[in-house]
Each structure stands twice: as C-alpha cells, then as structure tokens.
Amino acid sequence: MARRTKAEAAATREALIDAAEEMFMEHGVARTSLEQIARHAGMTRGAVYWHFKNKADLFHAMLDRVHMPFQNLFDEVEGPTVDNCPLEAIRLACIKGFARAEQPRNKRVHFIMMYRCEFFSDIDPQAMQEEISKDILTVLLKYFQLAAENKQLTSLSPEAATELFYATLSGLFTHWLRQSDNYSLETQGSAMIGNLLHLLRSA
Amino acid sequence: MARRTKAEAAATREALIDAAEEMFMEHGVARTSLEQIARHAGMTRGAVYWHFKNKADLFHAMLDRVHMPFQNLFDEVEGPTVDNCPLEAIRLACIKGFARAEQPRNKRVHFIMMYRCEFFSDIDPQAMQEEISKDILTVLLKYFQLAAENKQLTSLSPEAATELFYATLSGLFTHWLRQSDNYSLETQGSAMIGNLLHLLRSA
DNA sequence: ACAAACATACAAACAAAGATGTATAGATGT
DNA sequence: ACATCTATACATCTTTGTTTGTATGTTTGT
C-alpha cells in the first residue's frame, strides 16, 4: 500500500479509533496491544504510529469523540417556559443526558473509562471523573440555589440538595453502565430522578 | 536467606500483600510487576511465587483481607430497639459501614478496585461490583418493604425507594473514594443519607 | 497540461526492555 | 534428615518505539 487520499486517511484514523474502542471494551486498555488494534482495523502498527503518538494519544482521541460538558444539556433545554422552574430544568437536562448516554458509542466509551481502564502515562480516570464531577456539581448548585430562592425546595439547603442529587445521579449512571443491557436509563433512570426531584420539591 | 519460623513466614506473606497494596495504589495493578512488589517488601520474586500462584492469586488474597457482606452491618446493629424501625436500622447500618470503609486498608483496597484495576485473567471488577450491588439491593429491599408495611414510607414503592437509596449510597461512596482526603464519610456521608431517609420517611 | 519533486500514508523489520514462569540452589527450623 | 522458605539463574514471550522502505497523492514549474 501507499499513500491514500485525505478522505481515505481520515477514514483510516476513525477506523483505528473504532477498533481501539472495541478491543479496549473486550480486553481492557492495558491488555490490548497496538498490534491487536491495528490488526482488528485491518492495518499494521505503522498506521497507528502515523496517526497517533502512542496508546495514550489514541486513547485521548477516543475520548474526544464523546466529550460533552454538562451545561450544554441545560442550554438545549432552557426556554422561556422553564426559566422559573429550575427543578424542571434539571429534570429535562438529565433526560437529555440520558438520551445521549444511551448512544452506543457514548456508552462504550464511558464503560471503558469505568471498568476497562486503569491509569497509565497521562491517563488518569480518577482525575477525569473528578473533573466531570466538579463540572456537574457547580452547574447543579446554580439551579438548586435558584430553586431555593423561588421557595421551590424543601428544608434542605441548596448545597445539601446538590450533593444528594449528584450522588444519586452518578450512582444511577455507574449502575446502569454495569448492567448488560436490560436496564434503560431513559425510562427507569428518568423515573428515579423524577422521584428524587419530587421528594426535593416543597409541597 | 532461607527458611524462617512459621510466624515469620506468615509475616512475610502479609508484608507481600501490604507491598502489593501500596504498589497497586501508586502505579496501578497492570503496571506493577511482581518484581516491584517483591522489592518493595524487601524480598525477591521467589518469595512471591512461593506464597502465591501468580498476580491474580495475590490480588485475591488482598481482597480477602477486607471482604464484608452488607447484611453483617445490620446484624451488628439490630437490637430489639430498632426492630420496628427499619429506616433507622438502615441508617445505623450505613454509619457502621462508613466507619469500616474509613479504615485505611479498606479504603485503599476499594480505591484500587475502583480506580487502579482493570480486569485480567479471572479478576473482573465489574462483576465483583455487580455482586456487591445485588447483595446490597436485596438486603435494602427487605428493610424498605418492612418500612412500607409499617406505613413509614412515603408514596414511593419499596422497590423504587430501594433503587433510589442504593444509587445514592454507591454514588456517595465512589465520590468519597475519589476525593483525596478532605471528605469524611462518617460526617458528611451520614448527613447525606440522613437527609435522604428523612425525605423518604412518611410525615 | 504534464513531468519532476516532494509529502503523505502506510508496511515491514529491528533492537531493546520488561515481565512471566520455572527450575534449581542454598539456608535454616523442626 | 527433611520439609520449608527464599534467592538466583534462565529461557521465552510480548510489547514498544524506531527506522527504513515504498507506492502513491499532491503540488509546482514551465
């Protein structure tokens, strides 16, 4: 083989990431070699080292395809209708997030992060999760504070409500990830956070 | 060196597991070699291979030192006083569990399971967590059903309450594990599950 | 428009480093 | 004397990073 067109090369790159995803999923990150990834994509390590610096770089590229900050979910939701309904905004944003998470690629990558990857070189799942956690917590706090100002929150402080809600959300998420397939975030997850928000809403 | 007394040999074994814990914690399971573990314990791989079949076997030995089924926490709590107070029993059992989890060795091992280990040979963190999850869910369901029968539960079904509570509990736990040290399960965690149980209690 | 010249996209081969498992030697309690 | 515990030595396998080779796009000069 030899040089391909730009489009073909880009396709190769994507195919390599696809292959990496599948192999990471099946055998774990540490235990899949670049050789295996290349073969699974129908290439050799030459292609891998052309497109990526090393395994960590390939891993980052895989993450980049699915990254989505939490605030975006609210931006998609927030219309004039929910502006004075922060708790409802939270609910709808979560449902949006669930729909995204259920997309196969998103689920696979998050699963890899959670159960198929331990830290190496500059990859540190703990730190990454901590970053996501902070992001979600600050955004949630904003909306729970708004709810408290509007007297829509029970006796709990906005801070306590935020931490409680976040714990539930992340616990739900990891539990869903762990299940094989017989668990739908969009239905059962939405129900759960609906229940929690109901409990948090002042009567 | 050579043969030690039985007690010294047992101490060697423990020291090897201690060393494994520390190295796993620092460098991840996949990226620490048996050589590193042995050296860190002041031994050579000969000692490791005498006491353990291989890395997976050593890993299992490490887990065995901290294993504790969820029901045990209730057994320690349950007196005649809380027999008709299932929600209070849940609260106290959780607090017991938090105290256990805060012990350095327990925290280290759980941290390793969560953030420093991906599956290899017969080690599968996902499956292990799923098993623990099932254990906790069945025990919790028992007590929430009791609470429902005693009319101590809000409108939520026992099943919904169980799933909600479990999600919160596991989310709280992983979030606590991830924090460096500035987060106390016994104080902040107890407060959170206290809040949740308060919301779940019928007025 | 059409070569020459260059850059790109891979494959293939190579060298070095680690890790694993095993086999064996040696020392010491019992 | 013998079983137990640990160190040492060895052979093998895997992975990684690098280098080199090469065919083909792509661009540029004329």
Side-chain angles (χ1 to χ4, degrees):
Chain A
M1 317 290 168
R3 165 150 192 196
R4 309 277 178 80
T5 79
K6 272 187 180 181
E8 282 174 322
T12 300
R13 193 190 129 98
E14 294 301 303
L16 287 172
I17 303 180
D18 287 344
E21 265 187 36
E22 289 175 32
M23 297 307 272
F24 288 164
M25 182 89 175
E26 243 185 289
H27 306 293
V29 174
R31 303 188 67 78
T32 66
S33 63
L34 296 182
E35 173 75 18
Q36 290 176 294
I37 293 172
R39 287 302 171 203
H40 192 248
M43 311 258 150
T44 67
R45 270 175 40 239
V48 175
Y49 275 102
W50 174 255
H51 286 284
F52 308 98
K53 194 165 166 289
N54 50 31
K55 199 203 268 188
D57 191 38
L58 171 55
F59 189 87
H60 276 299
M62 181 187 76
L63 290 186
D64 286 344
R65 297 204 303 187
V66 303
H67 181 256
M68 152 127 305
F70 193 58
Q71 179 66 56
N72 287 20
L73 299 171
F74 284 86
D75 299 341
E76 291 179 23
V77 159
E78 225 157 6
T81 58
V82 291
D83 263 359
N84 45 8
C85 254
L87 294 187
E88 186 62 9
I90 291 175
R91 205 178 68 83
L92 293 177
C94 286
I95 292 178
K96 281 263 180 209
F98 293 163
R100 275 195 183 279
E102 297 248 30
Q103 291 170 9
R105 171 171 296 169
N106 279 268
K107 180 165 183 180
R108 256 206 315 276
V109 172
H110 279 110
F111 183 88
I112 291 169
M113 277 277 291
M114 268 288 176
Y115 298 110
R116 291 291 186 264
C117 156
E118 67 185 51
F119 85 129
F120 69 102
S121 77
D122 66 330
I123 308 285
D124 184 349
Q126 181 202 6
M128 293 182 193
Q129 288 177 36
E130 185 59 19
E131 210 170 323
I132 295 173
S133 155
K134 276 182 181 161
D135 174 34
I136 296 179
L137 280 170
T138 50
V139 175
L140 278 180
L141 181 58
K142 195 169 65 182
Y143 287 88
F144 275 117
Q145 277 171 337
L146 220 68
E149 289 168 17
N150 298 0
K151 308 286 187 204
Q152 291 167 351
L153 206 58
T154 53
S155 53
L156 287 193
S157 72
E159 288 78 12
T162 300
E163 287 191 30
L164 174 58
F165 190 86
Y166 170 73
T168 308
L169 195 61
S170 80
L172 166 67
F173 186 73
T174 58
H175 187 243
W176 164 74
L177 270 184
R178 210 188 301 126
Q179 298 290 343
S180 319
D181 265 319
N182 48 347
Y183 192 90
S184 158
L185 249 190
E186 299 210 52
T187 68
Q188 298 184 252
S190 296
M192 182 185 292
I193 69 110
N195 283 338
L196 179 56
L197 285 172
H198 181 74
L199 294 177
L200 286 170
R201 199 167 287 141
S202 67
Chain B
M1 319 287 170
R3 163 150 191 193
R4 311 278 178 78
T5 79
K6 268 189 181 180
E8 282 173 323
T12 299
R13 193 190 127 99
E14 293 301 304
L16 287 172
I17 303 180
D18 286 344
E21 265 186 36
E22 290 175 31
M23 297 307 271
F24 288 165
M25 182 89 176
E26 242 186 289
H27 306 292
V29 175
R31 303 186 69 76
T32 66
S33 63
L34 296 181
E35 172 75 17
Q36 289 176 294
I37 293 171
R39 287 301 171 203
H40 192 249
M43 312 257 152
T44 68
R45 272 177 32 229
V48 175
Y49 275 101
W50 175 256
H51 288 284
F52 308 99
K53 193 164 166 291
N54 50 32
K55 199 201 269 189
D57 191 39
L58 171 55
F59 189 87
H60 277 298
M62 182 188 76
L63 290 186
D64 287 344
R65 299 203 302 188
V66 303
H67 182 255
M68 151 127 307
F70 193 58
Q71 179 66 56
N72 287 20
L73 299 171
F74 284 86
D75 299 342
E76 291 177 23
V77 160
E78 225 158 6
T81 56
V82 290
D83 263 359
N84 44 9
C85 256
L87 295 186
E88 187 61 10
I90 290 176
R91 205 178 67 83
L92 294 176
C94 286
I95 292 178
K96 282 264 179 210
F98 292 163
R100 276 197 182 279
E102 297 248 30
Q103 291 170 9
R105 171 171 295 169
N106 280 268
K107 180 166 184 179
R108 256 207 315 278
V109 173
H110 279 110
F111 183 88
I112 291 169
M113 278 276 291
M114 267 289 177
Y115 299 109
R116 291 290 185 264
C117 155
E118 67 186 52
F119 85 128
F120 69 104
S121 76
D122 65 331
I123 309 283
D124 184 350
Q126 181 201 6
M128 293 181 193
Q129 289 178 36
E130 186 58 21
E131 210 170 324
I132 294 173
S133 156
K134 277 183 181 160
D135 174 33
I136 296 179
L137 279 170
T138 51
V139 175
L140 278 180
L141 181 58
K142 195 168 66 181
Y143 287 87
F144 274 117
Q145 276 171 339
L146 220 67
E149 288 167 18
N150 297 1
K151 307 286 186 203
Q152 291 167 351
L153 205 58
T154 52
S155 52
L156 286 194
S157 72
E159 287 78 13
T162 300
E163 288 190 29
L164 174 58
F165 190 86
Y166 169 72
T168 308
L169 194 61
S170 80
L172 166 66
F173 186 74
T174 58
H175 187 243
W176 164 74
L177 270 185
R178 211 188 300 127
Q179 300 289 344
S180 319
D181 266 318
N182 48 348
Y183 193 90
S184 157
L185 249 190
E186 300 209 54
T187 69
Q188 298 185 253
S190 297
M192 182 186 293
I193 70 111
N195 283 338
L196 179 55
L197 285 171
H198 180 74
L199 293 178
L200 286 170
R201 199 168 286 139
S202 66

